[in-house]
Amino acid sequence: MNVIKRLTAEVTSLRGALRTLKMTTPIARNPTRVFPQVVLELADKYGDAPALLSDGECFTYRELAARSNRYARWALAQSLRKGDTVCLIMPGRPEFLAIWVGITRAGGVVALVNTHLTGTALAYCINAVSPKHIIVAAGLFASLESARAHITGDAQIWLHGNADANFARIDREIDGLSGTDLAAFDLPALTIEDGALYIYTSGTTGLPKAANMNHYRLMLASNAFAGVMDTRASDRMYDCLPLYHTAGGVVATGALLVRGGSVVIRDKFSAREFWDDIVRWECTCFQYIGELCRYLINSPPSPNEREHHLRLACGNGLRPDVWPEFKRRFRIPRIIEFYAATEGNVSLFNFDGKEGAIGRLPWWVAGRFPTKIVRFDVERQQPVRNEQGFCIECGVDEPGEVIGKILKDPSKPGQRFEGYANKAESDRKILRDVFKKGDIWFRTGDLMRKDKSGYFYFIDRIGDTFRWKGENVSTTEVEEAIGRFDGVMEANVYGVEVPGHDGRVGMASVVARDNLNLTKLRDHLARHLPEYARPMFLRMREANDVTSTFKSKKIDLVKQGFDPSQTDDPIYFNDPRRKAFVRLDSALYEDIKAGGVRL
């Protein structure tokens, strides 16, 4: 049986890889065929077929092309030169895509700004790309106002929609422009090497970084995932992810559009309405990310959760402790987990549904995409070097940092690293003289292990892993152990400093149902985790803070530590004297700080 399973997995992976290569290989061979041009081709081919759908507005393929043409004419009328930047601050809706497709057709680069940012953080993201124009939805104008005092440069502000502000209305401006195709001589000559978008990183460990996405990477993401998911014109994708990130704004949309399918856009994820939407819109697939699937598992039963016509779910971040129940409860026929980064050159796909694995590089494709796992020193936050100064490749199931070789071969643009708007930030992601003098590799910043069958498993983000009692503690491993305990809905694990102790001790911010049994939880952790990895502190919360891509925020939690005066949340201490979790008060806190309790 194991032999049959392995053969089936191999065949499934081969088919998926061949589909993906078939879709992506032609990109480099046709360097002047960029995504905005593809949108025009799609309008000719699919015409009045639905392209982008939402409760607020719907575009056919022909309407999407016409709408984008209007924005291209607007950009040309503003004398926007090739490479000039326009910031777009808008909730998820079909118009969002029409705007950036049109502006990129005219040679502009569109920075897709996180709509949750305000004040100095928003100003930082805008300043990082030095825009000529800022387009902001009327409903988000207050956020821009909170940042204006910190914005450098003289970008012109354009409102989309009615707001109580004295700025030009771009929606009115484009209504007076033609939606017909533009003449080639009116447009700049574009190739896949030219910039298209700035997409910002999530900002889980600091301020977001603006990653360069050229037209090649835009074409690659759309076509690769069309091959990965084997999309077709009859498919309908449910997309409730932010359009300003790659997963929601490029993968979930482009993968369907290039094959003539439809995309249902919802601005915000709602666990309560998720399955009703899936059924109402007759969706056949959906894109997930981060902890979205856990939120669905933790939600009350829905009459529609098994009445859908889904054929697959595709995404990244589905944890092993959630995977089997998610597939069983919601009757998901197929799950395709993957690993990739907007700015990176490492991509992994789990075509055959191996639970818990983020992907696999079979031997017959590994040479085409050089990817290694190298030993990593958690204390120094750097890969380990041998006596000759080179990195050391990890063995089977040995954790380390995943890196991808950077190639400058014109025929393999996918192996390049396009970097960020800030050169210093780009340099920090490059590893030099790795296995020989002169070679350069991209640092993913992620720790993984690879089993004997070639499956990759995510361990932790570098910076999240910490050391305690001379051992490396994976926050992801601890989160999964806590998450498997009945009554725990979410867990966010991090390390905090304790005076007089080296390293950081484990702490978990936990969202649980009522009457969580801490005694049984402590016994559960003792059975599933080594002593050094068991959380010393539990902070009970009604909800954990997450990014817009459902990744846990840790920065403020780490700063607040286990000090009970920093929060109204109850904190419990895993007291080794009483062998129980006890409520932490100010007296016990001071005793721990003074070294009165042996940790």
Side-chain angles (χ1 to χ4, degrees):
M1 187 64 180
N2 287 336
V3 174
I4 294 175
K5 282 186 177 180
R6 285 199 297 270
L7 287 175
T8 301
E10 202 72 33
V11 170
T12 303
S13 296
L14 177 60
R15 287 175 176 170
L18 289 177
R19 287 196 310 267
T20 305
L21 290 172
K22 182 181 179 181
M23 290 294 296
T24 57
T25 300
I27 299 173
R29 297 174 183 168
N30 299 277
T32 60
R33 185 173 182 261
V34 294
F35 191 78
Q37 177 61 36
V38 172
V39 171
L40 299 182
E41 297 170 10
L42 293 168
D44 289 338
K45 184 174 182 179
Y46 297 106
D48 293 327
L52 303 175
L53 307 171
S54 74
D55 285 328
E57 63 194 5
C58 299
F59 291 159
T60 65
Y61 277 87
R62 187 173 286 118
E63 288 168 340
L64 174 59
R67 194 74 175 166
S68 66
N69 283 335
R70 289 188 169 93
Y71 282 104
R73 284 191 164 86
W74 168 83
L76 294 172
Q78 301 306 314
S79 300
L80 199 74
R81 296 173 298 179
K82 186 164 79 170
D84 284 348
T85 302
V86 177
C87 283
L88 176 58
I89 311 172
M90 176 177 280
R93 52 183 289 192
E95 184 85 345
F96 186 99
L97 272 83
I99 292 174
W100 71 249
V101 169
I103 293 174
T104 57
R105 177 177 295 134
V109 179
V110 183
L112 309 182
V113 181
N114 187 326
T115 56
H116 293 87
L117 298 177
T118 59
T120 55
L122 175 57
Y124 174 87
C125 289
I126 293 172
N127 294 337
V129 296
S130 304
K132 301 291 184 184
H133 300 272
I134 300 172
I135 300 172
V136 57
L140 294 170
F141 181 71
S143 297
L144 182 62
E145 274 288 271
S146 71
R148 281 184 65 199
H150 308 284
I151 296 174
T152 58
D154 55 356
Q156 184 174 355
I157 296 173
W158 296 79
L159 282 171
H160 195 290
N162 189 28
D164 186 19
N166 189 27
F167 290 102
R169 289 272 302 274
I170 192 171
D171 49 330
R172 289 178 177 171
E173 190 86 8
I174 67 152
D175 282 344
L177 301 175
S178 171
T180 59
D181 290 351
L182 290 87
F185 58 78
D186 287 331
L187 295 166
L190 294 176
T191 75
I192 56 176
E193 303 290 341
D194 290 311
L197 303 173
Y198 282 117
I199 296 183
Y200 296 83
T201 59
S202 300
T204 53
T205 56
L207 289 169
K209 299 187 289 290
N212 298 312
M213 176 170 273
N214 61 14
H215 282 281
Y216 172 79
R217 297 187 77 83
L218 190 52
M219 289 286 285
L220 180 66
S222 300
N223 286 276
F225 280 91
V228 168
M229 292 185 274
D230 193 19
T231 56
R232 54 206 73 164
S234 58
D235 273 329
R236 186 165 284 186
M237 167 71 77
Y238 185 66
D239 183 7
C240 59
L241 303 179
L243 296 189
Y244 52 75
H245 278 315
T246 308
V250 179
V251 171
T253 53
L256 272 289
L257 294 179
V258 298
R259 286 284 186 82
S262 308
V263 185
V264 176
I265 296 173
R266 179 183 172 117
D267 180 42
K268 294 180 181 178
F269 164 73
S270 167
R272 184 172 59 86
E273 299 178 15
F274 184 89
W275 297 110
D276 294 341
D277 281 351
I278 291 283
V279 171
R280 175 166 63 97
W281 288 103
E282 299 180 335
C283 295
T284 60
C285 48
F286 73 87
Q287 191 87 20
Y288 66 84
I289 195 168
E291 294 288 72
L292 184 151
C293 299
R294 188 185 301 275
Y295 297 151
L296 291 174
I297 284 288
N298 289 332
S299 62
S302 163
N304 281 323
E305 66 182 35
R306 295 173 65 87
E307 300 302 317
H308 54 76
H309 298 289
L310 292 171
R311 66 178 186 86
L312 66 83
C314 178
N316 62 301
L318 180 55
R319 297 288 181 85
D321 59 315
V322 172
W323 192 313
E325 185 182 356
F326 179 73
K327 185 172 184 178
R328 177 198 56 77
R329 173 178 164 180
F330 301 123
R331 197 172 56 84
I332 309 295
R334 189 178 180 201
I335 294 172
I336 301 179
E337 175 82 1
F338 70 89
Y339 171 85
T342 299
E343 72 278 29
N345 64 354
V346 175
S347 297
L348 302 166
F349 300 97
N350 181 354
F351 287 110
D352 56 290
K354 173 78 170 178
E355 288 186 4
I358 62 171
R360 180 169 169 256
L361 276 178
W363 62 268
W364 36 265
V365 78
R368 187 181 175 101
F369 305 100
T371 302
K372 302 289 185 182
I373 303 179
V374 295
R375 290 182 183 172
F376 187 79
D377 186 326
V378 172
E379 287 185 307
R380 293 178 53 249
Q381 294 288 287
Q382 289 291 330
V384 175
R385 301 272 183 170
N386 62 19
E387 293 179 355
Q388 289 75 41
F390 298 123
C391 294
I392 305 166
E393 187 172 359
C394 291
V396 172
D397 284 326
E398 182 183 2
E401 182 178 6
V402 174
I403 59 175
K405 191 170 187 180
I406 299 173
L407 302 176
K408 297 184 178 180
D409 185 344
S411 67
K412 298 179 180 179
Q415 289 304 117
R416 292 204 304 248
F417 169 49
E418 305 298 340
Y420 307 102
N422 184 301
K423 184 180 182 300
E425 291 172 340
S426 300
D427 290 342
R428 281 194 287 270
K429 297 291 283 186
I430 295 176
L431 197 61
R432 303 181 186 277
D433 301 330
V434 178
F435 298 113
K436 63 180 181 180
K437 285 290 183 181
D439 66 345
I440 53 175
W441 295 66
F442 169 75
R443 296 189 61 185
T444 63
D446 291 322
L447 300 175
M448 300 185 200
R449 65 177 178 87
K450 184 171 66 172
D451 69 14
K452 62 181 180 181
S453 299
Y455 289 98
F456 286 74
Y457 297 85
F458 182 82
I459 294 178
D460 222 346
R461 289 283 299 165
I462 287 175
D464 286 351
T465 291
F466 58 90
R467 283 181 71 81
W468 178 245
K469 295 188 175 180
E471 300 285 351
N472 296 337
V473 180
S474 163
T475 61
T476 301
E477 179 186 0
V478 179
E479 286 167 359
E480 289 171 359
I482 299 173
R484 285 193 292 268
F485 184 74
D486 186 40
V488 172
M489 300 172 68
E490 299 173 35
N492 183 10
V493 175
Y494 46 97
V496 295
E497 294 183 348
V498 180
H501 292 79
D502 293 331
R504 291 184 288 160
V505 68
M507 185 166 182
S509 174
V510 175
V511 178
R513 296 184 175 90
D514 293 338
N515 301 319
L516 179 68
N517 190 317
L518 293 179
T519 301
K520 291 184 177 179
L521 174 59
R522 189 177 187 277
D523 293 340
H524 168 84
L525 296 177
R527 289 194 303 270
H528 292 89
L529 292 172
E531 184 180 5
Y532 64 83
R534 298 169 200 162
M536 193 65 71
F537 301 99
L538 298 180
R539 177 171 171 174
M540 311 307 295
R541 309 193 77 192
E542 293 192 5
N544 276 326
D545 298 325
V546 296
T547 68
S548 55
T549 50
F550 312 111
K551 297 175 183 175
S552 297
K553 293 182 178 180
K554 303 182 189 245
I555 295 175
D556 290 340
L557 295 174
V558 172
K559 287 180 181 177
Q560 293 163 5
F562 62 101
D563 184 351
S565 69
Q566 293 292 308
T567 177
D568 292 330
D569 299 331
I571 297 176
Y572 291 87
F573 170 56
N574 193 352
D575 194 329
R577 300 165 301 185
R578 297 171 60 178
K579 294 182 170 38
F581 280 111
V582 299
R583 182 70 180 264
L584 183 72
D585 56 21
S586 58
L588 180 54
Y589 170 72
E590 293 297 335
D591 196 20
I592 294 170
K593 279 181 60 182
V597 181
R598 184 177 179 182
L599 303 184

